[in-house]
């Protein structure tokens, strides 16, 4: 992921919106990090629209390629999502989604209230055909490559068809990263086809059949146990939102403890960098017709700037078209 | 856990059976490790019965306090559990459970076929009243204390009452380790009471009500997210078998990758020791009237010797009586 901003050179202009409000990091700190990042590392084809209250931008001078878009207020972590998106129409979060909807933005990134962001995106943006349920996709560092894990979005029930659609969206995502034939695994409690819930068993059979077609855009690696994920032998890890959420937070929690200990021993900045989820780009909300990314509320500014790189790459690689295309295949309709 | 063998001194004799067959480690290697461990570290009150085929014991001289119990064969990892426990009655696994059933053993430890061990134990040993479903309990290292996590045994469905019974058994386990009022948490995707599945929400309410009684034997810490588990603020983590299995294997897998990297950097033996799940004692099968422990098939001999210490402690601390007692409270029948 890192260091790939070069590939953006020569691309058509794209417009990325970034919500400066509603996270655990002070807006001024995010603003400073993003401005310095945009000046030093961002290709000129990427135009930024930063959303904040007037006070956030007070005393800040204008920059080429950066629009300061003032809004009224922020949706906080404590706000009830559905109430907030109705009562705070001029918040940074709702404004960002509105700008995406009317085409002023190509992608929108927020580290604010997750429930509000997903609800607002689902309500305001068009659905993608053949997706029953949007999913949050996040990149996970492993020994080898980075795996796309979805859904990590905490739905508490699921059907086999949801899992198959998650696979399609994960494949599209990895293709946008340059993986030609992504390897897809199902997160399960054993490798055998008959392991896990009836829904998992059905998804296994469906994915196996899809992957065996001559023109299959992916390879099905079967069931993957939690302990094998980190070997990095697959590109896409498919799971329901509850299990995926537990999986991701477990990995994050253990990594954080390890990093803390390593720091006490004054050890291994390189390893720390690889394990530090706080510096990883945010999750992509897949399955709605718009590129929306969600960073951790506790994420540091680096996570937001990494997300800008990911978002611009998704725009340049026509991620949404790729998703629609894959879904047609997974739905059996692609020629 | 480690270094607690001293507490066994002066205790009544107990008899621990250890299955040398059916794991990924050669029986001779396990035998050698256990014999050297028993000579150097084990209190004389702990008597061992080692189960293996005649060839395993060929040329081994007798030791005080150790019985070499020859059996016909082994149940392998590839055997179908129910078929195997019927057709291989004289295997080390079935023999160990039979010895436990007829009182020749106080506890039995195996690193063999998990499904066969659980099935054989459930069929042969009496049930414990008020337990609808046995659970596998394992200890998890964290920043502070070691947490009892259950169920990690891969049931794929669950009811709220199962989770409450898991809590009771986890409380009994931590009391046997000297924790006076264990803190219980529910593994969930958010801290709020209304997070997660309907079953989790119901279990939350039940555990909260139980913990608020004047004579409650435990403290209810509410919902715990995967990332917060490793802070070690709780003593018992309650979860369903599917989620628990994914949780545990994720932690193991990430820890293994970290250990591998640390080794390459020549780093931190102490940290390695703390993170190395391969050296941790096996899981305890809770909810049947007998002490049965299951080590990883890939566990190293250290895990087996650690399990001997845990098993003897559970015997000396009357773990089964404690479990029955806690279950009465959690079932609302204790005076």
């Amino acid at each position: 992921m890192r260091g790939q901003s070069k590939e953006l050179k020569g691309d058509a202009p794209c417009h990325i919106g970034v919500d400066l409000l509603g996270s655990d990091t002070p807006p001024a700190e995010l603003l400073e990090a993003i401005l310095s990042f945009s000046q030093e590392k961002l290709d000129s084809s990427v135009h930024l629209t930063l959303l904040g209250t007037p006070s956030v931008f007070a005393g800040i001078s204008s920059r080429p390629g950066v629009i300061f878009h003032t809004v009224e207020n922020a949706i906080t972590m404590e706000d009830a999502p559905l109430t907030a998106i109705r009562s705070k129409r001029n918040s940074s979060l709702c404004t960002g989604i509105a700008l995406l909807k009317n085409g002023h933005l190509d992608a929108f990134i927020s580290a604010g209230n997750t429930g509000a962001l997903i609800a607002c995106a689902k309500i305001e943006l068009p659905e993608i055909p053949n997706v029953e349920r949007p999913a949050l996709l996040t990149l996970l560092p492993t020994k080898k490559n980075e795996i796309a894990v979805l859904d990590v979005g905490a739905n508490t029930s699921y059907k086999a068809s949801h899992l198959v659609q998650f696979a399609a969206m994960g494949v599209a995502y990895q293709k946008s990263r340059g993986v030609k034939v992504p390897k897809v695994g199902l997160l399960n409690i054993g490798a055998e086809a008959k392991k896990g819930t009836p829904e998992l068993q059905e998804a296994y059979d469906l994915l196996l059949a899809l992957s065996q077609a001559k023109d299959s855009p992916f390879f099905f690696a079967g069931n993957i146990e939690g302990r094998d994920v980190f070997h990095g032998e697959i590109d896409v890890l498919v799971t329901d939102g509850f299990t995926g959420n537990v999986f991701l937070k477990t990995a994050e929690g253990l990594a954080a403890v390890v990093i803390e200990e390593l720091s006490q021993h004054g050890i291994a900045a390189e390893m720390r960098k690889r394990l530090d989820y706080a510096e990883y780009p945010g999750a992509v909300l897949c399955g709605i017709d718009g590129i929306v990314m969600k960073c951790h509320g506790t994420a540091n500014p680096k996570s937001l700037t990494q997300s800008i790189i990911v978002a611009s790459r998704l725009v340049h690689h026509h991620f949404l078209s790729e998703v629609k295309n894959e879904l047609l295949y997974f739905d059996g309709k692609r020629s």
Side-chain angles (χ1 to χ4, degrees), chain A residues 316-327:
Chain A
H316 287 136
H317 287 230
H318 309 289
F319 174 61
L320 293 173
S321 305
E322 187 66 46
V323 164
K324 291 171 200 167
N325 191 34
E326 291 303 337
L327 282 160

Side-chain angles (χ1 to χ4, degrees), chain A residues 41-274:
Chain A
K41 305 217 177 130
L42 210 56
D43 187 83
S44 61
S45 70
V46 181
H47 299 252
L48 297 179
T49 297
L50 308 182
L51 294 95
T53 48
S55 65
V56 173
F57 301 122
I60 304 286
S61 52
S62 66
R63 311 283 173 112
V66 181
I67 295 170
F68 302 124
H69 191 111
T70 56
V71 297
E72 264 181 30
N73 50 21
I75 292 180
T76 67
M77 294 295 183
E78 290 70 36
D79 281 335
L82 289 175
T83 314
I85 61 175
R86 283 193 200 101
S87 63
K88 294 182 171 175
R89 299 295 307 159
N90 296 320
S91 60
S92 52
L93 193 155
C94 293
T95 304
I97 294 292
L99 291 172
L100 191 59
K101 184 181 183 180
N102 64 27
H104 284 98
L105 292 178
D106 297 304
F108 175 58
I109 302 164
S110 175
N113 185 314
T114 309
L117 184 65
I118 294 178
C120 189
K122 280 164 98 168
I123 291 169
E124 297 295 331
L125 301 172
E127 292 176 357
I128 283 185
N130 306 314
V131 177
E132 292 166 274
R133 192 179 279 185
L136 274 175
L137 179 156
T138 193
L139 269 186
L140 181 84
T142 73
K143 247 170 82 177
K144 289 188 187 170
N145 52 339
E146 289 163 321
I147 299 180
V149 183
L150 73 170
D151 178 20
V152 297
N155 289 299
T156 57
S157 67
Y158 63 102
K159 295 192 296 181
S161 59
H162 301 157
L163 298 176
V164 172
Q165 290 154 18
F166 297 167
M169 298 191 285
V171 165
Y173 184 87
Q174 287 291 30
K175 285 190 169 182
S176 87
R177 296 183 71 229
V179 181
K180 295 233 173 350
V181 183
K183 294 190 277 296
V184 174
L186 260 183
L187 183 58
N188 207 331
I189 55 174
E192 305 85 348
K194 292 294 166 203
K195 282 280 181 179
T197 62
E199 291 79 13
L200 278 168
Q201 293 174 28
E202 189 187 342
Y204 184 104
D205 294 340
L206 290 168
L207 287 170
L208 184 63
L210 282 165
S211 73
Q212 286 171 337
K214 209 174 57 185
D215 62 342
S216 171
F218 75 108
F219 174 80
F220 183 50
N223 289 326
I224 306 284
E225 292 186 83
R227 73 172 131 241
D228 296 323
V229 170
F230 300 95
H231 295 306
E233 300 293 344
I234 57 169
D235 302 298
V236 178
L237 183 67
V238 171
T239 180
D240 69 280
F242 184 89
T243 308
N245 196 273
V246 169
F247 168 81
L248 186 71
K249 286 177 179 167
T250 301
E252 287 174 0
L254 185 53
V257 169
V258 168
I259 286 170
E260 199 185 308
E261 296 230 357
L262 286 177
S263 305
Q264 284 167 8
H265 290 80
I267 286 167
E270 189 273 335
M271 185 172 177
R272 183 177 168 164
K273 194 170 149 193
R274 281 188 47 208

Side-chain angles (χ1 to χ4, degrees), chain A residues 299-311:
Chain A
N300 65 26
K302 181 85 181 264
S303 172
L304 230 62
T305 56
Q306 292 294 328
S307 299
I308 292 171
I309 295 177
V310 172

